[in-house]
Amino acid sequence: MKSQGLIRSVTKSAIAAGMLATAAFSAPAYAGPTLDKINQRGAIKVGVGTTPGFFAPDSSGKWQGFFIDYGRALSIAVFGNPDKVEFTNSSPQQRLPALQSGEFDVLLSGVTVTITRAFKLGFHFGPTIFYDGQGILVRKDLGVTKAADLDGATIGAQSGTTGELNVADFFRKTGKKFTPVTIEDTGQFIAALESGRVDAITQDSSDLVGKRTQLKKPDDYIVLPERLSKEPLAPAVAGGDDRWLEIVNWTVNATIQAEEWGITSKNVDEFLKSEDPAIQRFLGVDPALGEAIGLDPKWAYNIIKAVGNYGEIFDRHLKPLGWDRGYNRLWTDGGLLYSPPFR
């Protein structure tokens, strides 16, 4: 039989060990090199593209678009301010090397998640923000209604994208032939189609819908119905900074979770009165979650108040272009968007 003194000693040791384990578990991860640079410069550097609806400067030069709002949401998560972010247009050829070299903190330029980019290039990806697929934009006067009708056609693909391999795979599988034209200059992509240099151009359908609006006579062109590939578009960050990756992850998740709960930029203040403990944690009414992860307890509230939930962001920028939600609906509505629990 153990002595009472020994029992008290063992009990105290167990309690102390438990307290240390709890402290270690709840302490926020240390900032890594990317997050350190962001905090030192006081702004997040974001690489973007130039596709109407997704990212484009307005008449005053201010960036607007679906992906732009996620850049502002990240700025809110880190700084509590939507404007501490710098957007820079980067071509498909430049964007991945620029991320590797540290020129950008995150790419929000419609980057497709692929295994080689993860393993070979060392990139980490946040949650898929937009489920896309590669399409083909053609002149209507060709009289084609499906991609297989383009046997013998000349098709332009932009270098530095997954489009080159995908279109080659498609024609190989269908037993058809085509003449590929690789186009380096983003500005020449549309010009090649309008000038007749190519019969069609291929790229993510989201990009083609935007490019169609930039044509002189958009009604003379059509995006064919097939999707040649899966193109899950997600934020990309360089490896080596787990905390920065998690901030990116949960910033995206916050907009999805808010839509699932019906929380919008217009009614978010009403939800502050909710008695649901999960919503209280999410909006920072109960500050325990924010304190545990080392963020402002109101970070999710501030994001939704400023940029809205996923549906609001989609409707603001993409719905006017004729986009249907499709796979980008919530999982509760037959789509693929699903947020892990905020707890």
Side-chain angles (χ1 to χ4, degrees):
M1 181 177 176
K2 296 177 182 177
S3 69
Q4 292 297 317
L6 180 57
I7 292 174
R8 283 195 296 270
S9 176
V10 170
T11 301
K12 288 180 181 178
S13 297
I15 292 173
M19 291 176 67
L20 285 172
T22 301
F25 181 80
S26 61
Y30 289 108
T34 301
L35 198 52
D36 280 340
K37 288 191 297 183
I38 290 170
N39 286 320
Q40 287 168 10
R41 84 167 75 95
I44 302 170
K45 290 188 175 182
V46 179
V48 296
T50 51
T51 299
F54 287 91
F55 20 56
D58 62 18
S59 57
S60 65
K62 184 175 182 180
W63 284 90
Q64 303 288 348
F66 177 85
F67 284 107
I68 299 302
D69 276 354
Y70 277 97
R72 295 197 170 106
L74 284 171
S75 178
I76 293 168
V78 175
F79 296 110
N81 184 325
D83 298 319
K84 289 184 177 294
V85 56
E86 301 170 2
F87 298 104
T88 301
N89 174 31
S90 185
S91 72
Q93 301 87 0
Q94 298 168 336
R95 61 188 181 180
L96 297 179
L99 179 61
Q100 280 183 314
S101 67
E103 184 178 338
F104 300 129
D105 302 314
V106 59
L107 283 180
L108 286 169
S109 55
V111 182
T112 301
V113 181
T114 71
I115 190 169
T116 53
R117 287 172 176 174
F119 277 84
K120 190 174 180 180
L121 301 181
F123 296 142
H124 293 319
F125 294 93
T128 297
I129 299 181
F130 193 86
Y131 290 92
D132 204 357
Q134 186 171 329
I136 299 178
L137 178 66
V138 302
R139 300 196 315 271
K140 285 183 179 179
D141 62 17
L142 288 180
V144 301
T145 58
K146 58 184 184 297
D149 293 338
L150 288 169
D151 192 17
T154 300
I155 301 177
Q158 198 158 7
S159 63
T161 71
T162 54
E164 296 176 90
L165 293 176
N166 290 337
V167 71
D169 286 348
F170 174 80
F171 277 90
R172 189 180 300 113
K173 285 188 295 185
T174 57
K176 308 292 184 179
K177 294 182 179 180
F178 80 108
T179 300
V181 174
T182 300
I183 300 171
E184 295 278 347
D185 187 351
T186 301
Q188 294 300 312
F189 203 42
I190 294 176
L193 183 61
E194 287 188 310
S195 68
R197 179 186 170 196
V198 298
D199 299 311
I201 56 176
T202 184
Q203 184 58 284
D204 293 351
S205 57
S206 57
D207 190 54
L208 294 180
V209 169
K211 280 185 166 47
R212 182 174 175 271
T213 66
Q214 297 174 314
L215 293 164
K216 295 173 183 175
K217 295 181 179 180
D219 291 340
D220 290 350
Y221 300 84
I222 185 173
V223 178
L224 296 177
E226 293 97 338
R227 295 296 174 261
L228 311 188
S229 64
K230 294 186 294 185
E231 302 291 335
L233 309 182
V237 301
D241 194 331
D242 292 346
R243 183 160 178 77
W244 174 230
L245 174 63
E246 292 303 339
I247 288 174
V248 172
N249 288 341
W250 290 95
T251 294
V252 175
N253 291 334
T255 66
I256 297 170
Q257 184 61 67
E259 184 180 12
E260 182 179 333
W261 276 326
I263 304 174
T264 71
S265 58
K266 296 179 176 60
N267 68 18
V268 65
D269 287 323
E270 288 300 311
F271 273 87
L272 293 175
K273 305 171 188 175
S274 172
E275 296 183 3
D276 184 329
I279 293 177
Q280 289 180 344
R281 289 193 298 268
F282 179 73
L283 296 179
V285 175
D286 175 355
L289 179 62
E291 291 171 352
I293 63 177
L295 294 178
D296 182 335
K298 302 286 261 185
W299 69 277
Y301 165 87
N302 291 332
I303 287 172
I304 305 309
K305 184 74 172 177
V307 302
N309 66 32
Y310 184 96
E312 289 181 280
I313 297 170
F314 187 101
D315 289 350
R316 181 161 57 245
H317 299 294
L318 302 182
K319 193 173 182 180
L321 296 178
W323 272 103
D324 179 75
R325 287 280 294 266
Y327 289 127
N328 296 295
R329 294 188 179 96
L330 294 175
W331 67 285
T332 52
D333 192 28
L336 298 177
L337 294 183
Y338 183 103
S339 171
F342 278 73
R343 64 173 311 117

